[in-house]
Amino acid sequence: MELASYKKKGRLNNKHLLTLRDYSVGEIYEILSCALRLKFLQKKGKKHEYLKGKTLAMIFEKSSTRTRVSFEQGIRQLGGSPMFLSSADIQLGRNETVHDTVQVLNRYDIDGIMMRTFEQSKLDELARYGNMPVINGLSDDFHPCQVLADLMTVYEAYGRFGGVKLSYFGDGGNVANSLMIGGAKVGLDVCVCGPAEYAPKPEIVAEARKFGKVTVTDDLDEAARDCDVLYSDVFFSMGQKPDQKKEKALMPYQVNAGLMAKTNPDSVFMHCLPAHRGEEVTTEVIDGPRSIVFEEAENRLHVQKAVMYLLMK
Ligand code: CP
Ligand code: NVA
């Protein structure tokens, strides 16, 4: 099934967004169709205050520009209010447990929680003890909001998912994991290309393969062949210490003009951002005419508004 033929239901079966593994292709399309509609309303300047009076608590244990600003602005555009909670300021950062934190939030009529954290298990714990929807704003293992925005961006660029090949170059971390799962579900041909020692965990690859076509390779030519979307992420994710061995291993997988020339002539470049020019991507590519990284960043806003609307309404 393609997104164009999907009939909206106006609801999700899931109560939370912890990872895309829990989402069916229909639910992913529900979010994407809603996001396209909300983007249209936003561009037309039409009010869409569907979450009037609702509060989203946003807990950050790691830094953020896009996630923080797009959730904060998104809930406001929907008529609700954001509550920014940096772990540096709340007792969670001084070892109060997730369990106690969420029990307290339960008492204050918080309507939703977005959390950016290290361990995926903390999100699971929030979902277990909280009486509100929980949204993963990035963990060490997954970045589902990013990948929903990425899927929306690929759809806007190509008008379909089937037959589109997306090759991710570099470190097999949180973004690669979510891309494999979300991409395979909607029918993208997903290839993750990098040195074997930094490849995604085999159990996540095996799981993603149950949903669709996923290739993992260290062969740049294989990844570049018939590629429509090149994607990269930083060598060192937040919380990882930079080390020369990893940098040396990942450098050959840099997305540069030479690599782009081996892909389809109308291929596009995507990156979750923030980017390190001269490392995982060159300036000529990320600032070049085939880069759609800022469309992609913009879609974080629209897609997360759809997620909040569908989970919190
Ligand atoms: N891509 C992304 O999640 O960016 P931030 O770290 O700025 O939120
Ligand atoms: N893999 C990166 C993504 C940042 C949005 C990180 O976790 O730091």
Side-chain angles (χ1 to χ4, degrees):
M1 182 187 29
E2 271 289 346
L3 178 54
S5 54
Y6 176 76
K7 296 241 177 329
K8 273 199 250 180
K9 296 189 177 56
R11 60 175 172 78
L12 294 174
N13 295 328
N14 275 289
K15 188 175 172 217
H16 308 285
L17 174 56
L18 303 175
T19 81
L20 290 175
R21 345 155 119 127
D22 320 316
Y23 276 65
S24 65
V25 62
E27 285 186 296
I28 294 175
Y29 285 173
E30 188 68 39
I31 294 170
L32 299 182
S33 335
C34 181
L36 290 163
R37 173 80 190 146
L38 291 171
K39 183 171 183 174
F40 171 81
L41 293 177
Q42 180 70 23
K43 300 279 176 199
K44 289 271 175 207
K46 289 201 175 19
K47 274 207 181 335
H48 44 279
E49 297 185 333
Y50 305 138
L51 294 182
K52 220 174 177 123
K54 306 248 180 188
T55 302
L56 177 78
M58 311 191 311
I59 306 175
F60 282 90
E61 294 197 306
K62 297 181 182 182
S63 314
S64 168
T65 299
R66 279 143 290 270
T67 306
R68 177 179 174 180
V69 178
S70 55
F71 267 107
E72 198 159 326
Q73 189 68 344
I75 187 79
R76 283 207 187 95
Q77 289 174 0
L78 289 167
S81 313
M83 184 183 284
F84 175 68
L85 303 170
S86 155
S87 62
D89 303 324
I90 61 171
Q91 302 290 8
L92 189 67
R94 294 178 62 240
N95 293 332
E96 183 166 21
T97 61
V98 169
H99 170 269
D100 288 0
T101 305
V102 75
Q103 294 282 6
V104 170
L105 296 182
N106 281 343
R107 303 293 176 118
Y108 298 150
D109 289 339
I110 297 294
D111 301 288
I113 303 181
M114 192 286 307
M115 187 182 198
R116 168 165 285 195
T117 187
F118 295 86
E119 303 90 353
Q120 184 73 21
S121 59
K122 285 195 186 167
L123 288 149
D124 297 335
E125 211 177 335
L126 276 185
R128 191 172 328 124
Y129 298 112
N131 57 18
M132 66 293 274
V134 175
I135 302 169
N136 179 356
L138 179 147
S139 68
D140 287 346
D141 295 329
F142 297 106
H143 199 356
C145 292
Q146 178 66 50
V147 167
L148 287 168
D150 297 340
L151 295 178
M152 180 173 177
T153 312
V154 169
Y155 186 74
E156 287 176 328
Y158 285 96
R160 62 191 162 86
F161 294 119
V164 175
K165 177 172 171 182
L166 181 150
S167 295
Y168 171 98
F169 296 90
D171 185 37
N174 46 12
V175 172
N177 289 343
S178 287
L179 273 173
M180 288 191 298
I181 292 178
K185 285 198 176 193
V186 300
L188 286 177
D189 174 355
V190 183
C191 178
V192 175
C193 180
E197 69 235 86
Y198 300 108
K201 287 186 192 132
E203 58 271 26
I204 299 182
V205 178
E207 194 180 352
R209 281 190 176 140
K210 287 189 212 147
F211 309 124
K213 188 169 175 205
V214 175
T215 314
V216 177
T217 180
D218 60 3
D219 181 349
L220 279 163
D221 289 322
E222 183 185 353
R225 195 178 312 122
D226 298 324
C227 169
D228 301 297
V229 182
L230 300 95
Y231 196 117
S232 72
D233 184 12
V234 289
F235 291 167
F236 303 99
S237 283
M238 290 179 276
Q240 293 178 350
K241 275 206 193 78
D243 78 86
Q244 283 185 342
K245 178 173 162 268
K246 187 175 184 187
E247 187 179 340
K248 204 165 157 232
L250 286 169
M251 218 43 218
Y253 296 89
Q254 180 190 65
V255 178
N256 51 39
L259 180 63
M260 210 147 177
K262 294 183 183 174
T263 63
N264 285 341
D266 58 352
S267 63
V268 292
F269 174 71
M270 293 176 63
H271 191 303
C272 53
L273 304 179
H276 290 172
R277 287 168 173 77
E279 292 183 18
E280 75 277 6
V281 61
T282 56
T283 303
E284 61 188 339
V285 168
I286 194 168
D287 299 322
R290 282 151 68 185
S291 168
I292 53 171
V293 298
F294 297 115
E295 282 79 2
E296 182 185 0
E298 178 187 329
N299 283 337
R300 293 290 303 278
L301 172 75
H302 308 299
V303 104
Q304 289 160 194
K305 281 166 74 177
V307 169
M308 287 188 280
Y309 168 69
L310 290 164
L311 294 178
M312 291 166 63
K313 73 185 159 109

